[in-house]
Amino acid sequence: MNRLCDSMEPRVMDDDMLKLAVGEQGPQEEAGQLAKQEGILFKDVLSLQLDFQNILRIDNLWQFENLRKLQLDNNIIERIEGLENLTHLVWLDLSFNNIEAIEGLDTLVNLEDLSLFSNRISKIDSLDALVKLQVLSLGNNQIGNMMNIIYLRRFKCLRTLSLSGNPISEAEDYRMFICAYLPDLVYLDFQRIDDHVAKLAETKHQYSIDELKHRENLQQARLEDEKAQREELEKHKDAFVELLNGSFLFDSMYAEDVEGNKLSYLPSVGELLEAYKDKFVIICLNVFEYGMKQQEKRKTELDTFNECVHEAIQENQQEGRRKIAKFEEKYLLGLSAIREESELPNVKKMIMECSEDITELSNTLMTLEMQLVEQLEEAINMFERNITDLVGSFIENVQSLMAQCRDLENHHHEKLLEISINTLEKILKGDLDEDLPDDVRALFVDKDTVVNAVGASHDIHLLKIDNREDELVTRINSWCTHLIDKVHRDEIMRNRKRVKEINQYIDHIQSELDNLEWGDILD
Amino acid sequence: MEVLREMVEEEEVAEREEAAESIKWNEKVEKMVRPLEMRKEETTLTQETLRDLEKKLSEIEIPTPAERLVFTTDTIDISNLPLSYKTNTPKEEHLLQVAGNFSRQYSHLCPDRVPLFLNPLNECEVPKFVSTTIRPTLMPYPDLYNWDSCAQFVSDFLTMVPLPDPLKPPSYLFSSTTVLKYQKGNCFDFSTLLCSMLIGAGYDAYCVNGYGSQDLCLMDLTWEVCPLTVKPKERVKQKEKALPKKYTIKPPRDLSSRFEQEQEITKQQEMRAQEERRLREEEERLLEAEKAKPDPLHGLRVHCWVLVLLGKREVPESFFIDPFTARSYSTQDDHFLGIESLWNHKNYWINMQDCWNCCKDLVFDLGDPMRWEYMLLGTDKPYLSLTEVNDEDDAENLGKEDEDKSFDMPSSWVDQIEISPEAFETRCPNGKKVIQYRRAKLEKWAPYLNGNGLVGRLTTYEDLECTKILEIKEWYQNREDMLELRQIQKGTGLNTDYFKPGHPQALRVHSYKSLQPEMDRTMEFYETARVDGLIKREETPRTMTEYYQGRPDFLFYRHVDFGPRVKKVALSSTESNPRPLVKITERFSRNLAKPADEDVAERVFLIAEERIQLRYHCRDDHITASKREFLQRMEVDSKGNKIIMTPDMCTSFEVEPMEHTKKLLYQYETMMHLKAEEKLARHQVWESEQEVLETLKLREEEEEAHTLAISIYDTKRNEKSKEYREAMERVMHEEHLRQMEAQLDYLAPFLAQLPPGEKLTRWQVMHLKDECLSDFKQRLIDKANHIQARFEKEIQELQKKQQWYQENQVALTAEDESMYLSYCSQTMFRIRILEQRLNRHKELARLKYLALEEKLYKHPRLAEYLKAST
C-alpha cells in the first residue's frame, strides 16, 4: 500500500503493454522466432503476468478469452473490473493492490485460486459464483468481523485459506474458530491444521456449529422441496395439463366472480355449489390423468423415433467409415507406388487410376448419404403422421371433457337461476325466512337485475373454461409444429454437414494427388 | 460247481436248525404260521430237485482251465488279518443259510438261469455273503466326495486282473482292504471298493453282476476315442434378432436378380451335398475297417459294475459306472448286455426282467417285486402302487420272504477301508499308468515322481497303428516356473506352453518353434500382473506386434517393422547391433477427456523416411477423421540459416478447420512433441526386444533347472520345514543333554583324585570337604580381587585423562572437549557399575560359601560321615 512507486504516474493497460508482455512471456528460442514471425493472438494466450506495472485500472483484457492464469499483483488497482470475459480463468492474483471490495468476479466460475493478499478489503462477499475455489488468500486486509468466516462455509472445495494480518486474526480463538467452522480446511495461514487442533476446535464450538448446521440443513431441505415442486409443475406443463389436478380451475372461476360469490349466500346454493365443485373437480382430474398418459405416450413415441434415427445414422456412418478405410488402404499403396515409379507414362496412368478411385469413393459415399436421406425421410413422415394423430386425438378428448364441464356449468346456471327467481319471489312476497347480507339483498330488487347477475357469473365461468381449453390447444399445437420443424431442420442440417464433409474430404485427396503430380513433373 | 454242491449240503443241515428256530419266531410273529407250512412243502420239493441236480452235476467233469489268475489267495498274507476275516459270526452263519435257501429256491424256480453269485470265499477261504463285503466308507479326502473322482481314483489305484473264467463269476471275492493293499483286482473287487466308497459318500449305489461286451470286460479302450481329445462342441450362439422397432428404417431396395441368387444357392447346395456324401462314405469305410471281428463269447462274458440310482445326492438320472475305466454310461448303453443280480450293503436283488434287448428295457425300480426279486424283506425301497400284486399270487410264487422279515443284514466283516495320504497321492501302482486309446496314448504319473513335474502325457497319433505322432500334450504340476501344459505339434513343430499365474514375467501362453530370438513366436501375458498392461506380443523375423490393455495413455497396439540387419564389419561387438527400425505404428483408443479432433488414433513413425503420420479419432457424427503428416527434414535456406518450420513440412487434413492449428507455432510444437515421442517409442521397442531376450533366457534356464515348488504344508517334501523340524529336535536333544549336565556332581573333580569305586574313609571325606570349601573360597576371593583390579585400573585411567585435560585445556578444540566429556561420563559409569558389583559380591560371598557347605553336608556320598562328625 505504501509503495515506493506511488509517486510514479499510473499506467494504462493499453495494447502496447499487453503485446510486450505477451511477447516476453511467450515461447522462447526457435519457437519464439516462429511466434514473432506469425504474431501471437491474444485469445491463444493461456497465462499473463502484469506485475509491478503501476496499473490503476484493469482494462483491455476482453480479448484474452482462453486465459487460465492472470497475475496483476503489485499494482495500484482500486476496483476489480474488466474480467468478465475471462471465464476460463483458474488462477487470479490481485495481491498488493488497493482493492476495497470484492466484486466483478461473478463470471469466473472456473476460478480455483484467488489471491487478494494485502488489499483494503473489509468484508468477504460476492464470491458466490466461485464454486471451484480451492485457495483463497485474504491476508493483510481489514476484515474485522468473525462472521465473515461463516460465509466461506459454502465453498466445498476450499482447502487453503490465509487471513493473517487482519484485525480478526488478533482475536483470541481465531484459529479455533476457523478450524471449527471450516472443517474441510487443510491449510490456514500457510500452516497445516493438525488433527488434534481440529478436533479440539470442533468440540469447543460444537453447539453453535450444530445449530448452524441444522439451519443450513433446513434451508437445504426447503430449497430441495421447492425444486421438486417446480419440477413437478414443469412436468405437468410439458403435458399441457398443469393445475388441473385439483380445484384450481374451479377456484379461478369464482375468483373474479363478484355476483357468483354474492349469490352463494342464498339458501341451498351452498350445497349446490359444493356438489357442482365436486363434479367439476372430478372432470378436471380426468383431464389431468388423461393428459399425463398422453404425454407418456408421446414421449415413448419420440424416444423410439429418435432411437431408430440414431441407429440408422450410426449404421450409415459405420458403413461410410468402412468404405473410407478401405479406400485409404488402397490409396496409400497407390501413392507410394507412384512415388517410386520413375517413368512418366506409368506415373500418369497410375495417377489416372487413383483419380478414378477417388471419384468412385465420392460416388459411393454420396449414394450412401442419399440412401440414408430417403430412408430417414420416410421415417420422419411416418413419425409426423403419428404424432399429429396423437395430438389430434388428445385435443379431441380434452375438448369433449371440457364440454362436460360446460354442461355442468349450464346445469348449475339453470339451478341457480331457478333458486334466485324463487328467492326474488319470496322477497317480493316478503316471506323470506333467512337473513341475507345487504349487498346480496340489493340484487333482489327486480327480475332483470337478478337474471343479469346470474348471467354475468355464468359468462365469467364459461370464459374461464374456454380460456383454459384454448390455452391447452394452442400450446400443444405449437409444441407439435415446433417438434416437427425441428426434426426436419435437424435432418436437413445433418445432410448438409455430411455432404460438406464428403466434399471436403474428396477435395483434399484430389488436391493431394494433384500436388503429387505437380511435384513429380518438377522433378 | 464244487462250491455250489458244498453249499447245498450245508443248506440241508442248516435246514433243520432253521425249522427249529422258526418255531421260536412263531411265537413272536403271528403272521408266520401259514407261510411256514407252505415253506416246508417247498423245501421238500427243492431237496428232491437238488439231489437230482447233484447227481447230474457229479457226472459232468469240467476240465479246469489253465491257471492264469495273477491274484490268488496264495499270494496273500492272511496271518495278520483280523478275526472277522477268518470266521463267521452266528449272524453271518444264519445269513449264509438264508442265502443258501434263497439260492435253492431260485434255482428250482428258474432252472434255466445260472446260479447266483451269493457267497464267494474271501481271502481266508471263508464264505462271505456279497453284501457284507461292501463296507460303506466316507474317505477323508475332499477329492473323493463325488462319484466321478471316486471312480477315477479306483480305476487309477488298482491294476486290473481279468477274471479266471470270463464266463463265470469268480469263486473268490476279497475284502477291499486286501485289494487296496495289493492294488490288484478283478471287476468284482473294483466294483465292491467303488460301491463301498460311493455308498459312504451318500450315493444310492449298487454292485451289478451281469454281462458286458468284450471291450468292457477286458478294459480294452483301443476302440474308444480318448475323452481328452474330444473337443467340447462349440455352442452356437443364437443371435437374438431384435424386433424391428416402429421407426426402423427400411433397407434399401435389393436390385439383384432373385433368379440368379436361387441358381447360385442350388449350385452350392449340390456341391455341399456331394462333399458330405463323400465324407460320409469315407467315414463308413473307415469304420468298417476299424470294426473288430465279432466276439464269439458276446453276451456271455461276466462283468461287474456299479449302478447309481437317481435320488440321493441330487443324482437326476440313474447311470452305470464301469469301475475299470471310471466312465459313466447311461443305463441304455450297448456295452452292457444283461444283468443277473445286484446288491448293496443291505440287500440282494435278482433281475426278473428279460434282457433280450441288453439293458435297454430294464426298469430300475427295486421296489417292484415282479421285476426285482429281493432276498431280505427289510428293504427300504417302497412298493410301487401300480405293481401291487395280490397276496395269493405272491404266496404261490415265492413265499419265502416271510420268515426273513425280521432279519437284517449283518454289518460288514471287512475292516475299515483306509487309504494313506501317500498312497492317495501316488494313486497308480508305482505312480505310473498307461492307457491306450484309439489313436491316442495317455500316460499318467504321480506328482513329484518325475523330476520335471510331468504328471500326464497324451500322445495323439495319425493312424490306428500308433506310429505317426500327431500331437503331444504334456501336463505338469508343481513347477516353479508355473508351467502347466505343453503342447507339441509334430507337423508344424510348434510348441505351445501354458502357464499358471505367477511366472516372473507374467507369461500366460508361449508358442514358439525354437527358443532362438527373432523367430516366429507369440507370447501372451497376464496383463493385470504387468505394469505396462501388455497382453500379447507376436513376433516374426521382421516384425513385432504388441497388444496392450488398460494403459493410462490409451495405447492398445504397437507394430514394429524391422529392416534387414546392417552388417558391420569393423565392429566386433555383435550384440549391440540391433536391427534397424523401419516403421513404428501405434494405435490409441479414444480418450474421452479430449475432443476427437485432438485425440490421436494412430501414430506412424516412418523412421527410414523421416516422416510422422498422425490420424485422429473420428467424431461421433463424422465419417472422416483428421490427418496430419510431418516431414522432419532439416533444411537450410539460401543464406545458410536453419529453417525451423515451413508450411510444407506439415500437410494436414482437418475435418473442421480450426484457426490455431494452422499456425506454424502449433505445428512446430506438435512436431517437437512427436520427436520426443518417437525417441520414447524407439526406446520402448528396444526395451521390448531386451525383454524378449531376457524371457527366452529365463525360459531356457527354467527348462534346465525345472525345479519343483513344494508347499509349505507338505511336511514330507519341504526341505526347509524338515530342516526346521530337525533343528527343533536337535535343540530339544541338546536341552536334554544340558539338563543332564546340570545334575553333574560338583565333587567330581575332587573325587577324581581319589581311586575310583572305593569306599571313602572319614578322613578322606573331611579332607575332601575342606578342599572343596577352600577351593570355593579361593575362587570367591579371586573374583573379588579381579573386580577390584578392574576398578582401580579404571580410576587410574580416569585420573590420567583428567590430568591431561587440565594441562591441555587451553589448546583443545570443541570437538576434543566434547570427546573428553563423553569419555569421562562413560568411565564414571563403568566405575560405578564395578563398585556396585564389588559390593554385591562381598555381600553374597558369605551366603554362597554357606550354601555350598550345606550342600556338601547333604551330598549322598559324604553325608553319613559328615553327619557322624557333627
Side-chain angles (χ1 to χ4, degrees), chain B residues 47-65:
Chain B
Q47 273 170 351
E48 276 176 27
T49 40
L50 270 178
R51 263 181 219 118
D52 219 31
L53 189 72
E54 207 180 323
K55 218 182 273 170
K56 273 182 204 161
L57 285 175
S58 56
E59 284 163 14
I60 305 165
E61 273 296 317
I62 298 167
T64 44

Side-chain angles (χ1 to χ4, degrees), chain B residues 386-539:
Chain B
L386 73 154
T387 52
E388 208 164 4
V389 268
N390 44 12
D391 287 0
E392 289 165 73
D393 255 9
D394 212 3
E396 253 174 25
N397 281 343
L398 302 150
K400 67 203 170 285
E401 73 271 89
D402 298 60
E403 79 251 54
D404 299 334
K405 245 176 192 162
S406 61
F407 189 72
D408 275 346
M409 188 63 76
S411 57
S412 177
W413 54 274
V414 179
D415 241 11
Q416 177 87 30
I417 299 175
E418 270 168 355
I419 303 166
S420 66
E422 292 88 27
F424 179 66
E425 201 189 66
T426 316
R427 278 191 103 105
C428 313
N430 298 326
K432 195 181 168 191
K433 188 157 192 164
V434 182
I435 306 168
Q436 187 76 40
Y437 289 103
R438 176 174 149 174
R439 287 181 185 163
K441 191 169 84 176
L442 180 67
E443 291 160 275
K444 290 182 189 171
W445 289 275
Y448 297 108
L449 190 73
N450 288 322
N452 59 358
L454 188 67
V455 291
R457 179 191 287 147
L458 177 72
T459 321
T460 323
Y461 298 93
E462 215 171 318
D463 51 349
L464 283 171
E465 290 79 37
C466 297
T467 48
K468 277 187 221 156
I469 296 174
L470 199 66
E471 193 192 66
I472 299 175
K473 264 187 183 177
E474 290 177 339
W475 285 268
Y476 295 88
Q477 244 176 44
N478 303 315
R479 295 262 300 205
E480 208 133 69
D481 58 357
M482 296 298 179
L483 181 66
E484 189 179 26
L485 169 66
R486 167 169 296 159
Q487 219 168 343
I488 305 166
Q489 264 162 4
K490 282 286 166 189
T492 54
L494 187 72
N495 290 13
T496 313
D497 293 355
Y498 296 88
F499 296 86
K500 279 194 272 194
H503 188 266
Q505 299 271 16
L507 215 52
R508 193 162 68 92
V509 181
H510 181 201
S511 57
Y512 56 95
K513 281 183 183 165
S514 86
L515 281 174
Q516 288 301 309
E518 292 170 27
M519 297 285 280
D520 285 332
R521 80 179 64 256
T522 309
M523 290 182 186
E524 286 175 44
F525 299 91
Y526 290 98
E527 77 277 3
T528 43
R530 287 187 66 103
V531 184
D532 58 357
L534 185 67
I535 303 175
K536 195 167 149 186
R537 180 184 287 136
E538 288 172 356
E539 276 184 284

Side-chain angles (χ1 to χ4, degrees), chain B residues 8-16 47 51 54 104:
Chain B
V8 168
E9 282 166 3
E10 266 179 23
E11 268 310 282
E12 285 172 356
V13 184
E15 191 61 47
R16 273 160 246 140
Q47 273 170 351
R51 263 181 219 118
E54 207 180 323
R104 218 158 41 235

Side-chain angles (χ1 to χ4, degrees), chain B residues 517-678:
Chain B
E518 292 170 27
M519 297 285 280
D520 285 332
R521 80 179 64 256
T522 309
M523 290 182 186
E524 286 175 44
F525 299 91
Y526 290 98
E527 77 277 3
T528 43
R530 287 187 66 103
V531 184
D532 58 357
L534 185 67
I535 303 175
K536 195 167 149 186
R537 180 184 287 136
E538 288 172 356
E539 276 184 284
T540 65
R542 278 313 219 0
T543 63
M544 177 165 79
T545 316
E546 292 173 320
Y547 299 88
Y548 295 91
Q549 196 176 49
R551 280 173 71 105
D553 61 356
F554 296 93
L555 179 73
F556 72 92
Y557 171 90
R558 179 186 285 138
H559 179 87
V560 187
D561 285 321
F562 295 100
R565 203 182 286 269
V566 183
K567 277 203 176 143
K568 289 182 188 170
V569 189
L571 287 174
S572 54
S573 56
T574 44
E575 275 178 69
S576 57
N577 182 14
R579 294 170 288 179
L581 298 171
V582 174
K583 188 174 151 192
I584 302 175
T585 311
E586 289 179 328
R587 289 190 191 144
F588 299 86
S589 42
R590 180 92 175 81
N591 177 4
L592 288 173
K594 284 187 190 168
D597 283 344
E598 292 169 26
D599 193 10
V600 178
E602 190 182 54
R603 201 154 69 176
V604 184
F605 300 108
L606 291 159
I607 292 163
E609 296 175 51
E610 292 193 311
R611 245 204 288 223
I612 303 171
Q613 290 172 341
L614 291 186
R615 193 167 54 78
Y616 291 86
H617 276 284
C618 209
R619 283 197 200 182
D620 279 347
D621 52 349
H622 280 66
I623 53 172
T624 54
S626 302
K627 281 187 290 190
R628 212 160 264 148
E629 187 169 341
F630 293 92
L631 207 66
Q632 37 165 297
R633 234 167 264 158
M634 278 299 163
E635 279 175 37
V636 177
D637 68 359
S638 51
K639 287 172 201 162
N641 293 332
K642 204 169 77 176
I643 293 177
I644 303 161
M645 187 84 205
T646 48
D648 60 322
M649 276 166 83
C650 167
T651 27
S652 50
F653 163 70
E654 277 170 28
V655 174
E656 215 147 280
M658 278 179 289
E659 216 168 315
H660 73 279
T661 53
K662 279 217 182 73
K663 290 222 163 189
L664 277 179
L665 181 62
Y666 173 82
Q667 291 172 1
Y668 173 77
E669 276 170 355
T670 317
M671 197 161 100
M672 285 300 128
H673 176 69
L674 283 173
K675 272 185 176 172
E677 288 286 325
E678 185 184 326

Side-chain angles (χ1 to χ4, degrees), chain A residues 57 74 77 138 218 249 419 478:
Chain A
R57 200 160 168 253
N74 292 291
I77 296 162
L138 278 167
L218 277 184
L249 182 57
I419 293 171
S478 80

Side-chain angles (χ1 to χ4, degrees), chain B residues 75-252:
Chain B
T75 56
I76 297 170
D77 174 24
I78 57 167
S79 54
N80 291 329
L81 292 174
L83 194 65
S84 66
Y85 283 54
K86 293 175 182 161
T87 54
N88 271 328
T89 60
K91 200 163 183 196
E92 279 177 307
E93 290 287 352
H94 182 213
L95 177 71
L96 287 176
Q97 286 162 17
V98 173
N101 187 17
F102 182 66
S103 161
R104 218 158 41 235
Q105 291 180 33
Y106 169 72
S107 50
H108 172 64
L109 287 168
C110 310
D112 50 344
R113 285 182 69 167
V114 292
L116 293 172
F117 180 70
L118 276 175
N119 28 13
L121 301 177
N122 73 354
E123 52 268 53
C124 305
E125 311 270 355
V126 179
K128 294 280 185 187
F129 189 66
V130 281
S131 290
T132 56
T133 315
I134 292 177
R135 165 91 196 212
T137 317
L138 179 60
M139 289 296 156
Y141 306 103
D143 282 354
L144 294 184
Y145 188 60
N146 290 324
W147 67 264
D148 42 355
S149 47
C150 272
Q152 194 58 53
F153 173 76
V154 170
S155 94
D156 282 349
F157 195 77
L158 303 181
T159 310
M160 176 265 203
V161 174
L163 286 175
D165 181 354
L167 307 183
K168 270 200 299 192
S171 45
Y172 288 95
L173 180 65
F174 300 148
S175 64
S176 296
T177 48
T178 311
V179 170
L180 280 172
K181 195 169 156 198
Y182 292 91
Q183 295 204 342
K184 276 182 208 163
N186 56 33
C187 54
F188 284 85
D189 299 323
F190 270 69
S191 299
T192 307
L193 175 61
L194 180 56
C195 206
S196 304
M197 286 162 74
L198 290 181
I199 293 171
Y203 286 99
D204 195 6
Y206 301 85
C207 280
V208 181
N209 172 20
Y211 304 96
S213 66
Q214 188 180 19
D215 296 349
L216 203 64
C217 297
L218 299 177
M219 198 177 143
D220 186 1
L221 286 169
T222 47
W223 298 109
E224 295 286 338
V225 177
C226 177
L228 286 166
T229 57
V230 179
K231 280 176 192 120
K233 271 184 198 165
E234 276 179 36
R235 261 186 222 161
V236 185
K237 269 189 191 168
Q238 278 201 331
K239 231 185 173 179
E240 272 183 49
K241 236 187 172 178
L243 277 173
K245 288 178 202 119
K246 204 168 171 183
Y247 296 108
T248 306
I249 52 158
K250 292 185 183 71

